Amino acid sequence: MRSAWTVSFPSKTKSRCENHKPMLRFRPRVLWVAISGVFLFVGSRAVSQAAFFSSELTDFTVYLSAANALTRGIDPYSIESAHGWHFISPVATAVLFAPLTEFPTVVAAAIWYLLSVGFLAGTILLTLSLFIQDRDSGILARTWVVPLLLLRS
Amino acid sequence: MTLSRGQWSLLIGLLITLGWWLSQKDHRFLSGHCFGFAAALKLLPIVFACYLIVKRRWVALGGFVTALIIGAIVMPGMFVKWLEIPKLYAEWFRLVVNPAFTGTHNDLYGELLNPAIKRSQQPKSVLSRA
C-alpha cells in the first residue's frame, strides 16, 4: 500500500529547474478526503452548537431569532436569542435569514453551513481567477491551505 | 470561527470579491450591485461607494445605490410596514452605531461594546485586547 506522503528525491540527471519541486507532495485524493473530514467536523460542531447546546459558540441563532421575529411582525432588536444575545445587524440581515425560519433549527443551521462553505469556495475561486493567469501554476494545488487557515482562525 | 459560529461574514466576503471580479470583467453595474448589497448587510462596505465616487464610476455607483435600496428598504418591506422601516434603522443606530462611535453606554454595552469581553469586535475593544 502506498503511503499518503510521497517523497521525491532530486535526480542528478535532472535540470536545476526540474529539481525546484517540493520534496513532499500530498496525494490530492487523500488531501481532499482530509479537507472534507475537517469541513464535516466543523459542520457537525456548528450545527450541534446552534441546535442542541445552549453555548455561546454560535451567532446563527441570533440571526435566526431576528428573522423569526421579523416574519411575525415583531421588532427584531427587541428580542433575545436562546443565549440571551441581541440582534445587532442591519434589518436586511434578518430578511436574509427569513427563508430559513421555515425549517427546524437543526436543518436551518445545516443549510446555512453548506451555503457558507459555498460562499467560502466561491470567494477562493474568484480570488484565484483574479490573481492567477496560468492555470497550470502549482499554486492552484495549494488552495486547500486557505480554508484550513480560515478554519484555524 | 466564521464557519463554525454560523456568521454571515463569508457572504459579505463573497459579495465583495464578486464585485471586484465583475469590475475586472467590466460589468460595472453588477459590480456596484454586489458592493451595494454587501453594504445593505453590513455597514462597513459602504466605503466602496466613496471609492466609486472618487473614481467617477457612475454606472457602478448606480448599481450600488439600487442594491442598497433593494436590500435596505424593499426586502424588509416584504415583512414589515413601510413606515416601520425608518424606525427599525433609527433603533439600530441608537443601539449599535452611535454607541460604537461615541462610546456611550447603553443596554447592549455589557453584551457588545465592553472592551473586556472577548467577542467585542469594535476597533477600540480589539485595540485594548491587543
Side-chain angles (χ1 to χ4, degrees):
Chain A
M1 182 186 271
R2 299 170 79 174
S3 68
W5 291 90
T6 302
V7 181
S8 59
F9 294 98
S11 165
K12 287 179 183 175
T13 56
K14 286 181 178 175
S15 70
R16 194 172 177 176
C17 183
E18 284 173 325
N19 286 340
H20 190 65
K21 286 180 178 175
M23 293 292 283
L24 291 173
R25 283 180 296 175
F26 219 16
R27 292 189 185 288
R29 190 177 292 177
V30 176
L31 189 66
W32 288 110
V33 167
I35 291 171
S36 304
V38 170
F39 274 106
L40 206 61
F41 171 74
V42 175
S44 63
R45 186 169 174 268
V47 172
S48 61
Q49 295 284 0
F52 305 121
F53 305 120
S54 57
S55 81
E56 292 186 343
L57 294 174
T58 182
D59 290 336
F60 177 76
T61 50
V62 180
Y63 308 139
L64 201 63
S65 302
N68 228 329
L70 198 70
T71 53
R72 286 183 287 137
I74 301 168
D75 177 4
Y77 297 105
S78 67
I79 53 100
E80 290 181 358
S81 75
H83 307 138
W85 286 0
H86 289 85
F87 178 64
I88 58 162
S89 303
V91 188
T93 305
V95 178
L96 188 75
F97 283 82
L100 294 176
T101 59
E102 297 293 322
F103 302 98
T105 307
V106 62
V107 178
I111 291 171
W112 180 247
Y113 177 75
L114 290 174
L115 286 172
S116 298
V117 172
F119 298 150
L120 177 61
T123 305
I124 292 168
L125 290 174
L126 285 173
T127 308
L128 285 172
S129 76
L130 283 166
F131 280 115
I132 300 167
Q133 303 299 323
D134 179 13
R135 292 205 166 266
D136 295 329
S137 169
I139 199 166
L140 277 176
R142 297 183 184 86
T143 53
W144 57 274
V145 172
V146 181
L148 289 184
L149 283 174
L150 282 169
L151 287 171
R152 173 67 185 85
S153 67
Chain B
M1 195 167 84
T2 297
L3 260 181
S4 66
R5 295 196 175 186
Q7 295 172 343
W8 86 137
S9 308
L10 289 169
L11 175 60
I12 309 285
L14 176 65
L15 285 169
I16 291 171
T17 315
L18 186 60
W20 181 23
W21 187 83
L22 287 167
S23 169
Q24 295 295 311
K25 303 288 178 191
D26 217 25
H27 297 295
R28 295 188 178 181
F29 188 83
L30 288 174
S31 163
H33 208 76
C34 289
F35 293 136
F37 198 64
L41 296 173
K42 193 167 186 161
L43 191 60
L44 196 60
I46 211 146
V47 296
F48 287 105
C50 305
Y51 172 80
L52 296 175
I53 291 168
V54 169
K55 289 286 183 182
R56 295 174 181 269
R57 294 186 182 174
W58 308 120
V59 176
L61 190 68
F64 186 100
V65 172
T66 308
L68 195 62
I69 290 169
I70 291 170
I73 298 169
V74 178
M75 279 170 53
M78 293 188 294
F79 297 99
V80 293
K81 293 174 183 171
W82 296 104
L83 292 175
E84 295 292 320
I85 296 171
K87 290 179 188 173
L88 287 174
Y89 280 104
E91 194 175 0
W92 178 57
F93 268 82
R94 183 183 65 81
L95 283 171
V96 183
V97 181
N98 279 343
F101 283 107
T102 60
T104 51
H105 290 209
N106 67 355
D107 303 342
L108 298 182
Y109 178 80
E111 182 183 323
L112 173 71
L113 301 171
N114 184 352
I117 55 173
K118 283 185 178 176
R119 62 175 176 272
S120 176
Q121 292 179 5
Q122 67 160 319
K124 197 168 71 176
S125 308
V126 174
L127 284 173
S128 73
R129 285 201 298 273

